[in-house]
Amino acid sequence: QVQLVESGGGLVQAGGSLRLSCAASRRTFYGMGWFRQASGKEREFVAAISWGGGSTTYADSVKGRFTISRDNAKNTVYLQMNSLKHEDTAVYYCAAARSGGAQKNSSEYDYWGQGTQVTVSS
């Protein structure tokens, strides 16, 4: 078992930046991902990183704007979000996959955080 706690969400203007953090309760060799869910919409994949950090993948909608990274010494994964758009407004969730890879499918993830709200004003 592992607990995940997100932080760093908030309200920003379009074009601004935020960095989300996801702290795990222990060291893992899990792949880590970020998902988001806007009001009234399905949860969607945002970004993922393999357990060692050597492989990353992104949704087309965030490529070039968002960067996922991890610091295993701190048991923490980050999502740097730049050039934010109103369409990025959502609850952002951190997730961990025991398979260890950079996974795009939510069904591959075993543990989830509680979510943190990101609101981008237009």
Side-chain angles (χ1 to χ4, degrees):
Q1 297 180 344
V2 62
Q3 285 74 51
L4 306 174
V5 179
E6 301 97 333
S7 62
L11 173 64
V12 298
Q13 292 188 340
S17 298
L18 284 174
R19 188 176 75 159
L20 305 184
S21 298
C22 173
S25 59
R26 63 174 175 84
R27 179 185 179 187
T28 75
F29 297 98
Y30 299 166
M32 300 295 296
W34 288 96
F35 292 77
R36 67 188 183 187
Q37 187 166 23
S39 180
K41 303 195 72 174
E42 301 262 340
R43 184 173 298 187
E44 66 175 349
F45 169 76
V46 176
I49 188 167
S50 60
W51 70 267
S55 181
T56 59
T57 187
Y58 298 89
D60 288 343
S61 60
V62 306
K63 284 181 180 177
R65 299 188 298 121
F66 291 9
T67 303
I68 189 169
S69 62
R70 66 191 299 165
D71 184 346
N72 287 342
K74 296 182 177 180
N75 300 330
T76 301
V77 63
Y78 305 96
L79 184 68
Q80 178 67 47
M81 305 186 294
N82 298 327
S83 301
L84 283 162
K85 305 174 181 179
H86 184 257
E87 304 95 277
D88 297 316
T89 296
V91 177
Y92 283 70
Y93 296 90
C94 174
R98 289 180 292 179
S99 64
Q103 309 281 0
K104 292 184 177 181
N105 295 325
S106 61
S107 61
E108 297 291 336
Y109 289 86
D110 303 285
Y111 308 102
W112 294 81
Q114 83 290 342
T116 186
Q117 177 71 48
V118 172
T119 302
V120 184
S121 63
S122 58

